[in-house]
């Protein structure tokens, strides 16, 4: 495991020499920089930019750059970077991951490496997990960059901004205030609405992982360079890096359109699945969350449907969707995996406990859940473009990250991204006590003990934060507390809008807060409430600080550690304890036969904790086993996605090349050459030019080339999905599915390149010009782990070309669908 602990104590002699030297140089420069005027600080930025432009490396100007940022932070925020924060800045500059405990100031640490690399004038992206944090940090840290003469942009879902403290004339609106919870308040008066292109052109751009990824995909669907917004992928710092690069790595960003031929099978499934029996007709693998229908099950389905051969009469896709319906019925639980809100199935993020509106399961699973819950079944989607976070962020020349919990995933960070995890020591010694687990025979007994523990702590006045793994368990525990008459606050995805207020008071005297994983990441619980009551804070410290109870182990140790990290911020006292039962999912599914044997032998009272070293070891072993299992699963996904990623890179590169040549007026030669390869003589091409005119022909070349790529690429994505499903069956014939997938994909990609050229050659000679009109639009949807809405694609004005279109040819409207399937097929300009 590639983890480097900078020092095992807080002694300076444990700091690696390079980091120690930089900290010493920054400290030595501090008196000199304190004497500089505000305008001199800005001049220093210009000097450093000139040095880099002349060939100096960032590493050589790092002490001066860090001294600049520290001085600007003192003047604007009244905050001075601690030495350990300077160490964190070095780690980020080196392109590694800084693991920092809660309350240690990651946001401020990021300013050091961000500023140093922004001096290169290539653009630095600072990536956050939601729009609120992107806007907050752009305004908060924007003050530092603005004082140093750099520009700051912000990419949000609805709009984009430039940090501008002079945006509003009224002086009182320019003050950064804190809201009623004491948290930093984003003042919109600092953020001037701008174009997305302008926000990306800034020296530093804040935004979410989703928006950066979607903008990349949209840029590669654009019909002009003016419509493209990003300017490359130079350096990115990712906040909550484990959430983005690991937890969300399995879910790609997808731009999709409704499939007009969506399945009508879900009524069949609703009738069939209740008749199938576990163990008799199908097998369940809870570890992999899969369901496989067996031969007996197939026979039963054929009888229910009245068919002789389901594969011949319904097809393998039908079986795939049937298994999705089974998964929905037996493996996915309401108020754990999803909730039903206003007639919609909304996914619950298993890692954060937050709702993910706009995100849908693929492969018919979401439709199966809709049918299961009796809500309207939405049509399936057709993928127009997609990319995983793994492959998007690996495009950056340099990548760095920050989080409070990375050590347990250090091997994956290094193997997949080449990132080394470096543990940064706390500014003050950690005073939190992590107590031994309490293990109970049954879940009922565990909750009895949890309630009793809360009663005792509450009676003393000590604040208690209770973590649960699901909304269902969250509400169940809340009901038990209500029955006991214990005042408490409930926090889960259903009332997330109250999160800031609830968390602000979670550290107050006698506070009892019951939360899902929402309270485990990016949350700073201050003793004494927020704003702080100093007398109350001191009393709570005497009582032992914040007491965190976890009611279950999560599959990933990182999630457990995040919950622990809510207690003991900035050297405060605190304690954490896990209450687990032998009936918990982690123990039940992954614990193995040894645990089952112990369960059968134990006959002690339900609410009496079990002290058994073997169980404690088995619990840790189970978590380690699960992490390894999921790591292997993500590697497996990545191996397949890497194949498609190479295709995507080549197609997007070719598309950008066509677009650049078209706008430079030099695409004609290439299109003529392509047409010539497919039997079009030069004389015929020149005749077509005379027919439509040179200027119109240049536009036609551009649009035909880009549309040919877009429509055939869409078809290729669909076919690759089917190939991936089909090669799994070849494992039964002792063939390696991945190798088979690579071989098939290589053949298909060669065919794709040939088909693109053939389509260009065929179409360019069939083009006729019609009066210009607004281009037709299809509804396009953006889905991702944290996408909050769906919206239509940006309007693009293109000349309308009339083509002689076959039924199975891509529709000339640019939708990517076959002509016979396109929703625009009845439009006047498409009639032949």
């Amino acid at each position: 495991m590639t983890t480097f602990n900078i020092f095992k104590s807080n002694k300076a002699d444990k700091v690696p020499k390079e980091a120690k030297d930089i900290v010493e140089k920054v400290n030595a420069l501090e008196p000199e920089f304190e004497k500089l005027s505000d305008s001199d600080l800005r001049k220093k930025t210009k000097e450093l930019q000139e040095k880099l432009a002349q060939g100096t490396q960032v590493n050589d100007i790092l002490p001066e750059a860090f001294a600049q940022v520290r001085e600007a932070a003192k003047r604007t925020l009244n905050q001075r970077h601690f030495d350990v924060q300077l160490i964190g800045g070095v780690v980020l500059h080196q392109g590694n991951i800084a693991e920092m405990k809660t309350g240690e100031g990651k946001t401020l640490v990021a300013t050091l490496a961000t500023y140093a690399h922004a001096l290169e004038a290539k653009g630095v992206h600072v990536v956050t997990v939601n729009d609120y944090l992107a806007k907050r940090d752009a305004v908060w840290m924007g003050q530092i960059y603005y004082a140093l003469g750099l520009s700051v942009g912000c990419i949000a879902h609805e709009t984009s901004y430039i940090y501008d403290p002079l945006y509003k004339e009224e002086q009182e609106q320019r003050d950064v205030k804190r809201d009623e919870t004491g948290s930093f308040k984003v003042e919109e008066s600092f953020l001037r609405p701008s174009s997305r292109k302008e926000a990306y052109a800034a020296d530093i751009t804040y935004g979410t992982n989703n928006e950066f990824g979607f903008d990349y995909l949209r840029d590669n669907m654009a019909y002009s360079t003016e419509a493209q917004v990003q300017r490359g992928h130079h350096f990115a710092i990712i906040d909550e890096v484990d959430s983005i690069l690991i937890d969300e790595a399995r879910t790609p960003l997808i731009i999709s359109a409704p499939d007009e031929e969506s399945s009508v099978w879900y009524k069949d499934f609703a009738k069939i699945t209740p008749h199938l029996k576990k163990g008799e007709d199908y097998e369940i693998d809870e570890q992999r969350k899969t369901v496989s229908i067996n031969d007996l099950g197939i026979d039963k389905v054929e009888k229910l449907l009245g068919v002789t051969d389901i594969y011949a009469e319904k097809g393998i896709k039908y079986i795939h969707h049937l298994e999705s319906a089974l998964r929905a019925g037996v493996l996915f639980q309401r108020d754990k995996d999803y909730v039903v809100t206003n007639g919609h199935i909304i996914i619950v993020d298993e890692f954060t406990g937050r709702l993910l509106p706009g995100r849908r399961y693929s492969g018919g699973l979401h439709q199966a859940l809709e049918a299961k819950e009796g809500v309207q079944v939405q049509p399936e989607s057709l993928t127009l473009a997609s990319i995983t976070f793994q492959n998007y962020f690996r495009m950056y020349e340099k990548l760095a990250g920050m989080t409070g919990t990375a050590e347990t995933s250090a091997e994956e960070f290094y193997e997949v991204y080449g990132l080394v995890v470096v543990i940064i020591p706390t500014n003050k010694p950690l005073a939190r006590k992590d107590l031994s687990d309490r293990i109970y025979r049954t879940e009922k007994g565990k909750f009895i003990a949890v309630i009793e523990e809360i009663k005792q702590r509450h009676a003393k006045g000590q604040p208690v934060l209770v973590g649960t793994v699901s909304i269902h368990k969250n509400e169940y525990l809340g009901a038990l507390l209500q029955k006991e008459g214990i005042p408490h606050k409930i926090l889960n995805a259903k009332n997330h809008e109250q999160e800031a207020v609830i968390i602000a008071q979670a550290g107050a005297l006698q506070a009892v807060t019951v939360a899902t994983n929402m309270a485990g990441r990016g949350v700073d619980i201050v003793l004494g409430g927020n704003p702080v009551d100093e007398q109350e804070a001191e009393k709570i410290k005497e009582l032992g600080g914040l007491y965190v109870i976890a009611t279950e182990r999560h599959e990933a140790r990182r999630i457990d550690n995040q919950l622990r990290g809510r207690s003991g911020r900035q050297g405060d006292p605190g304690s954490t304890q896990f209450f687990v039962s032998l009936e918990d999912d982690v123990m039940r599914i992954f614990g193995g036969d040894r645990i089952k044997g112990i369960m059968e032998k134990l006959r002690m009272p339900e609410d009496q904790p079990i002290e058994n070293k073997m169980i404690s070891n088995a619990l840790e072993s189970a978590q380690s086993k699960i992490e390894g299992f999921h790591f292997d699963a993500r590697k497996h996904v990545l191996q397949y996605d890497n194949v498609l990623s190479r295709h995507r890179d080549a197609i997007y590169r070719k598309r950008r090349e066509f677009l650049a040549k078209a706008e430079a007026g030099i695409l004609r030669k290439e299109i003529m050459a392509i047409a010539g390869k497919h039997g079009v003589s030069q004389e015929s091409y020149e005749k077509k030019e005379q027919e439509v005119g040179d200027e119109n022909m240049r536009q036609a070349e551009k649009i035909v080339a880009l549309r040919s790529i877009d429509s055939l690429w869409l078809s290729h994505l669909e076919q690759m999905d089917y190939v991936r499903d089909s090669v799994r069956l070849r494992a039964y014939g002792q063939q390696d599915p991945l190798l088979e997938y690579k071989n098939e994909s290589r053949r298909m990609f060669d065919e794709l390149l040939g088909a693109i050229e053939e389509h260009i050659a065929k179409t360019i000679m069939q083009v006729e010009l019609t009066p210009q009109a607004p281009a037709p639009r299809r509804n396009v949807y953006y889905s991702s782990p944290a996408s909050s809405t769906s919206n239509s694609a940006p309007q693009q004005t293109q000349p309308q070309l009339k083509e002689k279109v076959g039924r199975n040819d891509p529709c000339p409207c640019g939708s990517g669908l076959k002509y016979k399937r396109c929703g625009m097929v009845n439009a006047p300009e498409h009639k032949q």
Side-chain angles (χ1 to χ4, degrees):
M1 184 173 288
T2 314
T3 305
F4 298 101
N5 199 327
I6 281 192
F7 29 29
K8 297 180 174 60
S9 72
N10 284 329
K11 294 179 181 177
D13 62 354
K14 296 294 183 181
V15 181
K17 190 172 188 312
E18 183 185 1
K20 180 180 176 181
D21 288 347
I22 290 171
V23 172
E24 287 178 353
K25 287 176 183 176
V26 173
N27 288 336
L29 288 169
E30 189 167 20
E32 175 189 331
F33 277 74
E34 285 176 334
K35 295 173 185 175
L36 297 176
S37 66
D38 291 349
S39 62
D40 286 339
L41 274 182
R42 284 180 167 243
K43 287 178 184 175
K44 274 283 183 184
T45 293
K46 294 287 186 188
E47 290 174 16
L48 294 176
Q49 287 174 324
E50 288 170 7
K51 283 184 180 179
L52 292 175
Q54 292 167 6
T56 302
Q57 299 300 306
V58 174
N59 209 49
D60 299 326
I61 56 118
L62 209 60
E64 291 176 87
F66 280 20
Q68 280 269 89
V69 176
R70 180 191 260 181
E71 187 57 33
K74 284 156 58 177
R75 297 184 190 188
T76 56
L77 305 181
N78 197 28
Q79 295 180 355
R80 178 183 178 275
H81 293 77
F82 300 128
D83 284 2
V84 291
Q85 289 177 312
L86 296 178
I87 294 289
V90 175
V91 169
L92 296 179
H93 155 71
Q94 291 173 337
N96 293 318
I97 292 173
E99 177 176 297
M100 301 181 68
K101 302 300 181 190
T102 303
E104 292 295 308
K106 296 198 303 291
T107 308
L108 192 62
V109 167
T111 59
L112 297 160
T114 298
Y115 171 76
H117 285 270
L119 294 171
E120 295 179 283
K122 297 179 182 177
V124 174
H125 294 169
V126 184
V127 187
T128 65
V129 292
N130 60 50
D131 280 350
Y132 168 75
L133 291 175
K135 289 192 279 189
R136 183 202 73 173
D137 294 353
V139 171
W140 191 8
M141 300 299 113
Q143 298 170 81
I144 296 174
Y145 305 126
Y146 186 83
L148 294 172
L150 296 184
S151 57
V152 178
C154 179
I155 304 294
H157 181 65
E158 296 295 335
T159 188
S160 307
Y161 306 93
I162 290 292
Y163 173 76
D164 182 0
L166 304 178
Y167 178 51
K168 295 288 187 184
E169 291 182 5
E170 296 84 357
Q171 178 65 39
E172 63 272 18
Q173 288 184 318
R174 296 205 300 267
D175 292 334
V176 178
K177 301 180 179 70
R178 291 181 178 268
D179 60 20
E180 65 276 4
T181 69
S183 300
F184 185 86
K185 184 177 180 181
V186 173
E187 286 287 338
E188 296 294 330
S189 57
F190 283 96
L191 296 175
R192 169 173 56 80
S194 71
S195 69
R196 232 165 170 77
K197 201 176 186 83
E198 185 184 2
Y200 275 112
D203 296 307
I204 299 152
T205 306
Y206 283 82
T208 66
N209 46 316
N210 293 325
E211 295 307 313
F212 284 123
F214 279 136
D215 283 339
Y216 168 73
L217 293 176
R218 283 189 287 256
D219 276 0
N220 285 286
M221 297 171 70
Y223 273 74
S224 70
T225 53
E226 184 56 36
Q228 295 175 328
V229 296
Q230 292 188 340
R231 58 177 178 128
H233 300 85
H234 172 53
F235 179 51
I237 294 178
I238 304 176
D239 196 7
E240 306 296 356
V241 67
D242 53 329
S243 175
I244 292 171
L245 294 189
I246 292 182
D247 296 342
E248 297 185 11
R250 289 176 291 178
T251 310
L253 295 169
I254 298 173
I255 298 179
S256 61
D259 187 348
E260 302 299 331
E261 290 185 347
S262 63
S263 175
V264 293
W265 295 330
Y266 297 103
K267 289 182 182 176
D268 287 353
F269 300 147
K271 295 173 186 174
I272 292 169
T273 51
H275 294 281
L276 302 178
K277 296 179 181 178
K278 175 185 174 183
E280 183 178 317
D281 301 311
Y282 62 87
E283 305 297 330
I284 294 177
D285 186 332
E286 286 192 86
Q287 292 189 16
R288 292 176 171 80
K289 268 203 168 185
T290 59
V291 176
S292 301
I293 192 165
N294 57 30
D295 290 341
L296 287 175
I298 293 294
D299 292 342
K300 187 177 286 188
V301 171
E302 287 174 338
K303 288 176 184 176
L304 290 168
L305 290 174
V307 300
T308 306
D309 184 345
I310 194 170
Y311 290 98
E313 296 178 50
K314 291 285 188 179
I316 194 168
K317 187 176 179 181
Y318 187 93
I319 302 298
H320 170 73
H321 278 30
L322 176 60
E323 290 183 341
S324 291
L326 276 172
R327 286 180 71 207
V330 301
L331 284 175
F332 285 75
Q333 300 174 31
R334 183 170 177 165
D335 287 343
K336 180 184 178 185
D337 301 295
Y338 64 92
V339 297
V340 181
T341 305
N342 299 324
H344 295 281
I345 303 294
I346 309 294
I347 299 172
V348 177
D349 190 317
E350 64 173 307
F351 298 101
T352 67
R354 299 180 188 277
L355 294 183
L356 303 176
R359 175 183 165 190
R360 292 176 65 82
Y361 292 116
S362 60
L365 178 58
H366 210 95
Q367 286 81 0
L369 288 170
E370 289 168 333
K372 171 187 172 183
E373 296 294 345
V375 302
Q376 183 178 353
V377 178
Q378 303 294 325
E380 292 181 58
S381 295
L382 199 63
T383 298
L384 302 179
S386 72
I387 192 169
T388 61
F389 287 129
Q390 290 167 313
N391 276 313
Y392 174 72
F393 283 109
R394 291 198 303 182
M395 290 193 300
Y396 282 85
E397 295 170 32
K398 196 172 190 179
L399 195 61
M402 311 178 292
T403 181
T405 48
E407 185 182 8
T408 56
S409 298
E411 181 183 353
E412 183 166 356
F413 279 124
Y414 186 73
E415 192 167 322
V416 176
Y417 303 99
L419 295 170
V420 172
V421 173
V422 182
I423 300 170
I424 309 298
T426 55
N427 185 49
K428 296 178 181 177
L430 186 66
R432 188 187 73 225
K433 296 177 181 177
D434 295 327
L435 306 173
S436 300
D437 292 357
R438 292 191 191 177
I439 305 168
Y440 297 84
R441 185 165 58 89
T442 66
E443 186 177 66
K444 179 184 175 183
K446 174 184 72 176
F447 279 115
I448 290 171
V450 166
I451 294 296
E452 187 57 37
E453 183 72 13
I454 294 171
K455 282 170 69 174
Q456 291 178 18
R457 301 278 180 165
H458 177 68
K460 289 197 309 179
Q462 187 175 13
V464 180
L465 173 66
V466 188
T468 62
V469 297
S470 69
I471 297 171
H472 172 71
K473 298 280 177 68
N474 180 264
E475 293 175 340
Y476 171 69
L477 189 56
L480 293 179
L481 288 170
Q482 189 170 2
K483 189 176 178 181
E484 293 291 331
I486 301 173
H488 63 282
K489 295 287 185 183
I490 292 285
L491 176 60
N492 60 43
K494 291 182 178 179
N495 68 337
H496 63 93
E497 65 281 349
Q498 300 173 40
E499 179 179 1
V501 176
I502 292 173
I503 289 298
Q505 299 308 316
L509 205 62
Q510 288 196 307
V512 176
T513 309
V514 183
T516 56
N517 291 336
M518 287 177 69
R521 185 185 288 281
V523 173
D524 204 4
I525 297 176
V526 181
L527 298 185
N530 204 348
V532 178
D533 181 323
E534 294 294 347
Q535 287 186 329
E536 189 173 307
E538 283 306 312
K539 186 173 182 181
I540 291 170
K541 288 178 183 178
E542 291 170 8
L543 291 171
L546 178 68
Y547 180 57
V548 172
I549 293 177
T551 58
E552 203 164 324
R553 285 279 190 176
H554 194 275
E555 290 183 357
R557 286 172 292 176
R558 286 183 297 105
I559 310 300
D560 291 344
N561 292 338
Q562 286 159 14
L563 184 59
R564 287 192 196 276
R566 299 315 99 199
S567 178
R569 62 177 293 281
Q570 284 290 334
D572 287 342
S575 55
T576 69
Q577 189 149 47
F578 278 76
F579 286 64
V580 298
S581 85
L582 299 182
E583 293 178 344
D584 292 346
D585 285 349
V586 169
M587 296 294 277
R588 183 177 57 80
I589 299 172
F590 296 93
D593 294 332
R594 286 190 305 167
I595 301 300
K596 291 176 185 174
I598 293 172
M599 284 176 67
E600 291 168 1
K601 291 177 185 177
L602 291 172
R603 290 290 179 266
M604 60 179 63
E606 286 184 316
D607 59 346
Q608 182 177 333
I610 302 163
E611 294 183 6
N612 188 303
K613 193 74 173 174
M614 191 173 82
I615 295 179
S616 298
N617 292 340
L619 182 58
E620 291 178 14
S621 174
Q623 284 185 299
S624 181
K625 187 195 303 181
I626 298 167
E627 288 168 358
F629 173 80
H630 287 315
F631 179 21
D632 289 341
R634 285 189 292 269
K635 276 204 299 186
H636 182 72
V637 168
L638 186 60
Q639 286 172 329
Y640 281 87
D641 192 58
N642 282 341
V643 176
L644 193 59
S645 181
R646 286 192 286 273
H647 295 186
R648 179 173 49 242
D649 290 345
I651 289 295
Y652 284 178
R653 187 165 56 249
K654 188 65 178 174
R655 196 184 188 282
R656 288 193 297 271
E657 183 184 308
F658 275 155
L659 186 55
K661 286 182 176 180
E663 296 195 348
I666 57 173
L667 184 59
R668 177 181 184 271
K669 184 178 179 181
E670 184 161 353
I671 299 299
M672 278 189 70
I674 290 171
K677 279 172 60 179
H678 290 83
V680 179
S681 66
Q682 185 174 338
E683 186 180 333
S684 300
Y685 198 91
E686 290 172 348
K687 184 179 178 182
K688 173 59 71 173
E689 281 181 317
Q690 291 171 2
E691 239 178 72
V692 300
D694 283 351
E695 187 177 341
N696 291 330
M697 193 64 172
R698 300 295 80 79
Q699 277 292 88
E701 288 163 352
K702 167 185 165 182
I703 292 171
V704 166
L706 298 183
R707 283 185 180 173
S708 297
I709 285 180
D710 292 346
S711 57
L712 292 170
W713 171 244
L714 185 151
S715 178
H716 182 73
L717 289 175
E718 195 174 13
Q719 290 174 39
M720 289 287 283
D721 277 343
Y722 289 129
V723 170
R724 183 169 175 174
D725 284 341
S726 67
V727 295
R728 289 184 304 172
L729 302 175
R730 301 187 190 181
Y732 295 109
Q734 305 303 310
Q735 293 174 306
D736 180 355
L738 179 60
L739 183 60
E740 293 295 304
Y741 179 74
K742 287 179 177 178
N743 290 336
E744 286 286 327
S745 69
R746 189 180 300 114
R747 177 186 60 77
M748 288 170 60
F749 187 65
D750 289 340
E751 289 178 0
L752 170 66
L753 296 178
I756 288 172
E757 288 198 350
E758 184 179 349
H759 190 268
I760 290 173
K762 175 184 172 184
T763 308
I764 196 68
M765 299 307 294
Q766 296 175 338
V767 163
E768 296 176 27
L769 205 69
T770 62
Q772 184 156 334
R777 290 197 301 174
R778 296 182 58 81
N779 286 331
V780 177
Y781 303 102
Y782 303 92
S783 82
S784 69
S787 176
S788 57
T789 61
S790 59
N791 47 37
S792 49
Q795 178 77 49
Q796 297 197 18
T797 303
Q798 304 162 14
Q800 296 303 292
L801 304 178
K802 184 175 180 181
E803 306 171 19
K804 297 172 185 176
V805 188
R807 281 173 50 76
N808 290 311
D809 288 339
C811 181
C813 77
S815 67
L817 299 176
K818 290 180 180 178
Y819 179 73
K820 66 182 180 182
R821 294 173 60 187
C822 184
M824 296 300 297
V825 76
N826 294 317
E829 64 267 28
H830 288 184
K831 291 188 176 178
Q832 300 181 63

